[in-house]
Amino acid sequence: MSAGAARVPVLLYHAVMDDPPAWIAEFTVTPRQFAAQLDAIRDSGRTPVTVGALAAHFAGRGPLPPRPVALTFDDGFADLPGRTAEALAARALPATAYLTTGALAPGGTSLLPPAPMMRLDQAELLEEYGMEIGGHTVSHAQLDTLTRRALRHELTTSKAVLEDVLGHRIAHLAYPHGYNSRAVRRAARAAGYETAVAVRHALSSERDEAYRIARLIVRRGHTVADVEAWMRGEGARIAPYNDGFRTVGWRLYRRTRAAVKGPVFAG
């Protein structure tokens, strides 16, 4: 198997809009950028798959298709069930959308700053467009700083809400801002998730960890050339790999801060 085939680009998008709120602007692409990037993905020769297909591979239920690529969307911004889903469907590109239930449900609360968001009842529309739905917690807190009880609430409540809306099991999770730890990964498994995606800004691989799947976070400054390099299996390191000292130190600092100030927005 070639190196390009063994390296799996899993792209992480947030909002697709021309005038995003300042707090999410760095992780937003314009509709024009998005269309050009989707065209590059479609023309790359990669086989588009959902995270569910990755899950089947990691569970030993079958090999991945030749040269896979996966597209994921976090949070649930207002563009997702509209022109974003339409752009994906027009190119026959499946995707996985991870929804923050507290930001989308009527009367819900979350730590996400104000932004145009979709409604929770539009999750069914996403599925009609061929998108797979996953959980992204209730409040978008930094999961690796929470108490065991609070962590369980974030994981199980969001899962139950989505399952009630959609009428079927929710098997996939995205850690807010990628923050996770061994304890968080164990809790994700215990809550009934089959996979969980992190960030890591790395290429995934056929040997990646099912509860820490690496993703490439798409920022506003990324170009079509960047996407084309990722499709070739270039331009980023390859998971799995151990956390570095900086990541571990940053986690300890955030845990200490959360113990004093309480749960903090993961972003």
mmCIF file of all heavy atoms in Angstrom, residues 174-201:
data_model
loop_
_atom_site.group_PDB
_atom_site.id
_atom_site.type_symbol
_atom_site.label_atom_id
_atom_site.label_comp_id
_atom_site.label_asym_id
_atom_site.label_seq_id
_atom_site.Cartn_x
_atom_site.Cartn_y
_atom_site.Cartn_z
ATOM 1 N N ALA A 174 -17.148 14.238 18.883
ATOM 2 C CA ALA A 174 -16.012 15.131 18.656
ATOM 3 C C ALA A 174 -15.716 15.864 19.955
ATOM 4 O O ALA A 174 -16.607 16.479 20.545
ATOM 5 C CB ALA A 174 -16.308 16.133 17.544
ATOM 6 N N TYR A 175 -14.478 15.801 20.424
ATOM 7 C CA TYR A 175 -14.093 16.528 21.615
ATOM 8 C C TYR A 175 -14.025 18.025 21.292
ATOM 9 O O TYR A 175 -13.342 18.409 20.333
ATOM 10 C CB TYR A 175 -12.713 16.084 22.101
ATOM 11 C CG TYR A 175 -12.560 14.600 22.346
ATOM 12 C CD1 TYR A 175 -11.609 13.864 21.651
ATOM 13 C CD2 TYR A 175 -13.344 13.938 23.286
ATOM 14 C CE1 TYR A 175 -11.426 12.508 21.886
ATOM 15 C CE2 TYR A 175 -13.186 12.576 23.524
ATOM 16 C CZ TYR A 175 -12.225 11.871 22.816
ATOM 17 O OH TYR A 175 -12.057 10.527 23.043
ATOM 18 N N PRO A 176 -14.688 18.884 22.052
ATOM 19 C CA PRO A 176 -14.586 20.326 21.795
ATOM 20 C C PRO A 176 -13.129 20.795 21.794
ATOM 21 O O PRO A 176 -12.380 20.550 22.744
ATOM 22 C CB PRO A 176 -15.381 20.944 22.948
ATOM 23 C CG PRO A 176 -16.412 19.918 23.265
ATOM 24 C CD PRO A 176 -15.677 18.602 23.114
ATOM 25 N N HIS A 177 -12.760 21.442 20.713
ATOM 26 C CA HIS A 177 -11.406 21.941 20.479
ATOM 27 C C HIS A 177 -10.372 20.819 20.570
ATOM 28 O O HIS A 177 -9.174 21.086 20.728
ATOM 29 C CB HIS A 177 -11.058 23.066 21.457
ATOM 30 C CG HIS A 177 -10.057 24.042 20.903
ATOM 31 N ND1 HIS A 177 -10.332 24.865 19.825
ATOM 32 C CD2 HIS A 177 -8.783 24.329 21.265
ATOM 33 C CE1 HIS A 177 -9.274 25.609 19.555
ATOM 34 N NE2 HIS A 177 -8.321 25.298 20.408
ATOM 35 N N GLY A 178 -10.823 19.590 20.497
ATOM 36 C CA GLY A 178 -9.908 18.458 20.528
ATOM 37 C C GLY A 178 -9.401 18.070 21.900
ATOM 38 O O GLY A 178 -8.650 17.106 22.032
ATOM 39 N N TYR A 179 -9.811 18.792 22.947
ATOM 40 C CA TYR A 179 -9.276 18.526 24.275
ATOM 41 C C TYR A 179 -9.747 17.176 24.804
ATOM 42 O O TYR A 179 -10.943 16.937 24.933
ATOM 43 C CB TYR A 179 -9.692 19.619 25.253
ATOM 44 C CG TYR A 179 -9.023 20.949 25.019
ATOM 45 C CD1 TYR A 179 -9.740 22.139 25.161
ATOM 46 C CD2 TYR A 179 -7.674 21.042 24.683
ATOM 47 C CE1 TYR A 179 -9.137 23.372 24.967
ATOM 48 C CE2 TYR A 179 -7.059 22.264 24.477
ATOM 49 C CZ TYR A 179 -7.798 23.430 24.625
ATOM 50 O OH TYR A 179 -7.192 24.651 24.423
ATOM 51 N N ASN A 180 -8.791 16.312 25.121
ATOM 52 C CA ASN A 180 -9.107 14.993 25.649
ATOM 53 C C ASN A 180 -7.951 14.491 26.496
ATOM 54 O O ASN A 180 -6.899 15.123 26.573
ATOM 55 C CB ASN A 180 -9.430 14.020 24.512
ATOM 56 C CG ASN A 180 -8.212 13.659 23.689
ATOM 57 O OD1 ASN A 180 -7.545 12.640 23.927
ATOM 58 N ND2 ASN A 180 -7.880 14.491 22.692
ATOM 59 N N SER A 181 -8.167 13.372 27.138
ATOM 60 C CA SER A 181 -7.155 12.718 27.966
ATOM 61 C C SER A 181 -7.529 11.250 28.033
ATOM 62 O O SER A 181 -8.572 10.840 27.513
ATOM 63 C CB SER A 181 -7.148 13.329 29.371
ATOM 64 O OG SER A 181 -8.389 13.083 30.012
ATOM 65 N N ARG A 182 -6.715 10.443 28.692
ATOM 66 C CA ARG A 182 -7.061 9.032 28.822
ATOM 67 C C ARG A 182 -8.399 8.868 29.530
ATOM 68 O O ARG A 182 -9.230 8.038 29.143
ATOM 69 C CB ARG A 182 -5.974 8.291 29.592
ATOM 70 C CG ARG A 182 -4.676 8.117 28.811
ATOM 71 C CD ARG A 182 -3.656 7.343 29.623
ATOM 72 N NE ARG A 182 -2.397 7.202 28.893
ATOM 73 C CZ ARG A 182 -1.302 6.637 29.388
ATOM 74 N NH1 ARG A 182 -1.329 6.147 30.633
ATOM 75 N NH2 ARG A 182 -0.211 6.553 28.673
ATOM 76 N N ALA A 183 -8.621 9.671 30.574
ATOM 77 C CA ALA A 183 -9.888 9.579 31.312
ATOM 78 C C ALA A 183 -11.066 9.981 30.435
ATOM 79 O O ALA A 183 -12.133 9.357 30.483
ATOM 80 C CB ALA A 183 -9.837 10.458 32.557
ATOM 81 N N VAL A 184 -10.893 10.998 29.617
ATOM 82 C CA VAL A 184 -11.967 11.436 28.716
ATOM 83 C C VAL A 184 -12.240 10.361 27.675
ATOM 84 O O VAL A 184 -13.406 10.066 27.365
ATOM 85 C CB VAL A 184 -11.600 12.777 28.046
ATOM 86 C CG1 VAL A 184 -12.608 13.127 26.956
ATOM 87 C CG2 VAL A 184 -11.537 13.893 29.087
ATOM 88 N N ARG A 185 -11.211 9.751 27.156
ATOM 89 C CA ARG A 185 -11.405 8.709 26.149
ATOM 90 C C ARG A 185 -12.112 7.496 26.749
ATOM 91 O O ARG A 185 -12.976 6.887 26.107
ATOM 92 C CB ARG A 185 -10.057 8.329 25.518
ATOM 93 C CG ARG A 185 -9.405 9.485 24.749
ATOM 94 C CD ARG A 185 -8.245 9.032 23.889
ATOM 95 N NE ARG A 185 -7.083 8.607 24.627
ATOM 96 C CZ ARG A 185 -6.111 9.419 25.071
ATOM 97 N NH1 ARG A 185 -6.202 10.731 24.875
ATOM 98 N NH2 ARG A 185 -5.050 8.944 25.700
ATOM 99 N N ARG A 186 -11.755 7.146 27.975
ATOM 100 C CA ARG A 186 -12.462 6.041 28.645
ATOM 101 C C ARG A 186 -13.929 6.393 28.868
ATOM 102 O O ARG A 186 -14.825 5.546 28.693
ATOM 103 C CB ARG A 186 -11.795 5.723 29.987
ATOM 104 C CG ARG A 186 -10.452 5.018 29.874
ATOM 105 C CD ARG A 186 -10.048 4.415 31.210
ATOM 106 N NE ARG A 186 -9.903 5.439 32.254
ATOM 107 C CZ ARG A 186 -8.752 6.043 32.544
ATOM 108 N NH1 ARG A 186 -7.650 5.738 31.878
ATOM 109 N NH2 ARG A 186 -8.703 6.940 33.505
ATOM 110 N N ALA A 187 -14.192 7.636 29.233
ATOM 111 C CA ALA A 187 -15.570 8.070 29.459
ATOM 112 C C ALA A 187 -16.366 8.062 28.166
ATOM 113 O O ALA A 187 -17.560 7.728 28.167
ATOM 114 C CB ALA A 187 -15.582 9.463 30.082
ATOM 115 N N ALA A 188 -15.735 8.422 27.062
ATOM 116 C CA ALA A 188 -16.420 8.396 25.767
ATOM 117 C C ALA A 188 -16.835 6.974 25.411
ATOM 118 O O ALA A 188 -17.960 6.732 24.945
ATOM 119 C CB ALA A 188 -15.515 8.977 24.685
ATOM 120 N N ARG A 189 -15.953 6.038 25.642
ATOM 121 C CA ARG A 189 -16.283 4.631 25.378
ATOM 122 C C ARG A 189 -17.412 4.170 26.294
ATOM 123 O O ARG A 189 -18.368 3.518 25.853
ATOM 124 C CB ARG A 189 -15.045 3.758 25.565
ATOM 125 C CG ARG A 189 -15.296 2.273 25.269
ATOM 126 C CD ARG A 189 -14.105 1.425 25.709
ATOM 127 N NE ARG A 189 -12.912 1.707 24.944
ATOM 128 C CZ ARG A 189 -12.574 1.086 23.821
ATOM 129 N NH1 ARG A 189 -13.358 0.127 23.327
ATOM 130 N NH2 ARG A 189 -11.450 1.395 23.194
ATOM 131 N N ALA A 190 -17.312 4.522 27.581
ATOM 132 C CA ALA A 190 -18.321 4.102 28.551
ATOM 133 C C ALA A 190 -19.689 4.702 28.239
ATOM 134 O O ALA A 190 -20.727 4.096 28.526
ATOM 135 C CB ALA A 190 -17.890 4.493 29.959
ATOM 136 N N ALA A 191 -19.705 5.890 27.634
ATOM 137 C CA ALA A 191 -20.967 6.552 27.290
ATOM 138 C C ALA A 191 -21.635 5.935 26.064
ATOM 139 O O ALA A 191 -22.773 6.283 25.748
ATOM 140 C CB ALA A 191 -20.728 8.045 27.053
ATOM 141 N N GLY A 192 -20.929 5.050 25.380
ATOM 142 C CA GLY A 192 -21.525 4.356 24.248
ATOM 143 C C GLY A 192 -21.119 4.853 22.883
ATOM 144 O O GLY A 192 -21.692 4.438 21.871
ATOM 145 N N TYR A 193 -20.120 5.733 22.838
ATOM 146 C CA TYR A 193 -19.630 6.181 21.535
ATOM 147 C C TYR A 193 -18.684 5.138 20.949
ATOM 148 O O TYR A 193 -17.915 4.499 21.681
ATOM 149 C CB TYR A 193 -18.890 7.513 21.668
ATOM 150 C CG TYR A 193 -19.782 8.674 22.043
ATOM 151 C CD1 TYR A 193 -19.840 9.129 23.354
ATOM 152 C CD2 TYR A 193 -20.568 9.306 21.086
ATOM 153 C CE1 TYR A 193 -20.650 10.192 23.711
ATOM 154 C CE2 TYR A 193 -21.385 10.375 21.433
ATOM 155 C CZ TYR A 193 -21.422 10.815 22.749
ATOM 156 O OH TYR A 193 -22.228 11.868 23.097
ATOM 157 N N GLU A 194 -18.724 5.000 19.644
ATOM 158 C CA GLU A 194 -17.876 4.027 18.957
ATOM 159 C C GLU A 194 -16.561 4.645 18.504
ATOM 160 O O GLU A 194 -15.552 3.947 18.353
ATOM 161 C CB GLU A 194 -18.628 3.461 17.749
ATOM 162 C CG GLU A 194 -17.965 2.289 17.087
ATOM 163 C CD GLU A 194 -18.828 1.685 15.990
ATOM 164 O OE1 GLU A 194 -20.021 2.045 15.886
ATOM 165 O OE2 GLU A 194 -18.308 0.849 15.236
ATOM 166 N N THR A 195 -16.572 5.951 18.260
ATOM 167 C CA THR A 195 -15.355 6.680 17.906
ATOM 168 C C THR A 195 -15.410 8.056 18.534
ATOM 169 O O THR A 195 -16.473 8.538 18.959
ATOM 170 C CB THR A 195 -15.198 6.895 16.382
ATOM 171 O OG1 THR A 195 -16.205 7.825 15.932
ATOM 172 C CG2 THR A 195 -15.278 5.612 15.604
ATOM 173 N N ALA A 196 -14.259 8.709 18.558
ATOM 174 C CA ALA A 196 -14.187 10.119 18.937
ATOM 175 C C ALA A 196 -13.053 10.758 18.146
ATOM 176 O O ALA A 196 -11.976 10.175 18.000
ATOM 177 C CB ALA A 196 -13.944 10.274 20.433
ATOM 178 N N VAL A 197 -13.332 11.948 17.637
ATOM 179 C CA VAL A 197 -12.316 12.674 16.870
ATOM 180 C C VAL A 197 -11.725 13.782 17.729
ATOM 181 O O VAL A 197 -12.419 14.430 18.515
ATOM 182 C CB VAL A 197 -12.886 13.256 15.564
ATOM 183 C CG1 VAL A 197 -13.214 12.153 14.580
ATOM 184 C CG2 VAL A 197 -14.121 14.120 15.817
ATOM 185 N N ALA A 198 -10.435 13.983 17.562
ATOM 186 C CA ALA A 198 -9.731 15.069 18.229
ATOM 187 C C ALA A 198 -9.444 16.143 17.180
ATOM 188 O O ALA A 198 -10.225 16.343 16.251
ATOM 189 C CB ALA A 198 -8.463 14.534 18.870
ATOM 190 N N VAL A 199 -8.342 16.845 17.328
ATOM 191 C CA VAL A 199 -7.908 17.787 16.291
ATOM 192 C C VAL A 199 -6.496 17.372 15.870
ATOM 193 O O VAL A 199 -6.315 16.684 14.885
ATOM 194 C CB VAL A 199 -7.958 19.253 16.775
ATOM 195 C CG1 VAL A 199 -7.448 20.193 15.677
ATOM 196 C CG2 VAL A 199 -9.387 19.639 17.145
ATOM 197 N N ARG A 200 -5.480 17.775 16.629
ATOM 198 C CA ARG A 200 -4.089 17.375 16.432
ATOM 199 C C ARG A 200 -3.460 18.000 15.189
ATOM 200 O O ARG A 200 -2.255 18.011 15.039
ATOM 201 C CB ARG A 200 -3.926 15.848 16.388
ATOM 202 C CG ARG A 200 -4.710 15.089 17.436
ATOM 203 C CD ARG A 200 -4.126 13.720 17.739
ATOM 204 N NE ARG A 200 -3.123 13.805 18.796
ATOM 205 C CZ ARG A 200 -2.364 12.787 19.170
ATOM 206 N NH1 ARG A 200 -2.465 11.621 18.548
ATOM 207 N NH2 ARG A 200 -1.495 12.919 20.140
ATOM 208 N N HIS A 201 -4.246 18.529 14.266
ATOM 209 C CA HIS A 201 -3.782 19.027 12.966
ATOM 210 C C HIS A 201 -2.759 18.062 12.355
ATOM 211 O O HIS A 201 -1.601 18.407 12.065
ATOM 212 C CB HIS A 201 -3.209 20.437 13.047
ATOM 213 C CG HIS A 201 -3.137 21.078 11.682
ATOM 214 N ND1 HIS A 201 -4.275 21.410 10.974
ATOM 215 C CD2 HIS A 201 -2.091 21.381 10.877
ATOM 216 C CE1 HIS A 201 -3.923 21.908 9.803
ATOM 217 N NE2 HIS A 201 -2.608 21.904 9.726
#
